[in-house]
Amino acid sequence: DAYRDFYQYAWPILRKHSVPAVLFVPTGNIGPQRPYWWEVLTAAGRSDLQEIYKSLPPEERNGAADRMLADLPDDARRTLSAISCTWAMLREIAADGLIEIGAHTKYHSSLGALSAPQIEQEIDDSLVDLERELGWRPRLFAFPHGGPTDVSETAFELLAAHGVTAAFTTSSGSVDSQR
């Protein structure tokens, strides 16, 4: 999810031991522009809403999280705004060559809960953001949340059309391109 601690702690250890990895990036949450919605819920003491929020359309979820964020103390807002990597950090990680950057939607949305146009926007925006900021389009994608209800046929078709060669979930097993 491109947390800043990957840059600060994990990446140096991976480099020291020459261990390659993939970092999946929800591009709408990079830098201070928009803290991760689930972190806002946690800071507000409302982790109980995560299952509901993950299924909301991005604009509705982001609006609700923004309102909740506005009610948090200044120090909590500052902490949340510094929780993710910046684009400069991601460019540095990518330039190193050991870590591959993959797409992870724009706003970490459950693609199984969205309409076809919303899925397309989440995927397209993510790929365009990464290409603009890193100079190349990623070939790997991870489904946010990763469960069986978080994927969709529409998403698989769009990813293939955009040249994504592999997509990951948290479910065991594999799915070939002939599904």
Side-chain angles (χ1 to χ4, degrees), residues 75-177:
D75 61 331
R77 288 197 309 271
R78 276 192 299 277
T79 297
L80 288 170
S81 71
I83 205 166
S84 68
C85 285
T86 64
W87 284 113
M89 290 173 182
L90 291 172
R91 283 189 286 275
E92 185 180 351
I93 291 168
D96 182 54
L98 186 65
I99 307 302
E100 185 159 351
I101 304 294
H104 200 38
T105 72
K106 178 91 172 184
Y107 294 116
H108 206 274
S109 296
S110 172
L111 298 183
L114 301 180
S115 69
Q118 291 167 327
I119 292 169
E120 185 169 12
Q121 184 161 10
E122 279 286 297
I123 290 172
D124 287 351
D125 287 356
S126 175
L127 294 170
V128 167
D129 289 347
L130 288 165
E131 187 170 21
R132 181 188 65 243
E133 295 292 339
L134 302 178
W136 45 266
R137 188 168 282 234
R139 62 184 187 89
L140 302 177
F141 180 87
F143 284 92
H145 313 287
T149 62
D150 299 312
V151 301
S152 76
E153 189 63 36
T154 300
F156 282 112
E157 291 167 3
L158 285 166
L159 291 167
H162 283 296
V164 172
T165 58
F168 300 85
T169 70
T170 58
S171 300
S172 61
S174 64
V175 178
D176 67 25
S177 62

Side-chain angles (χ1 to χ4, degrees), residues 52-91:
I52 295 167
Y53 268 56
K54 86 172 198 175
S55 299
L56 293 174
E59 60 280 354
E60 185 178 339
R61 182 184 55 242
N62 290 341
D66 288 348
R67 288 187 295 279
M68 201 174 287
L69 179 66
D71 290 337
L72 292 175
D74 289 344
D75 61 331
R77 288 197 309 271
R78 276 192 299 277
T79 297
L80 288 170
S81 71
I83 205 166
S84 68
C85 285
T86 64
W87 284 113
M89 290 173 182
L90 291 172
R91 283 189 286 275

Side-chain angles (χ1 to χ4, degrees), residues 2-16:
Y3 278 93
R4 191 170 293 212
D5 60 0
F6 180 88
Y7 177 84
Q8 295 170 316
Y9 305 111
W11 182 41
I13 293 168
L14 294 168
R15 287 177 69 196
K16 177 180 178 181

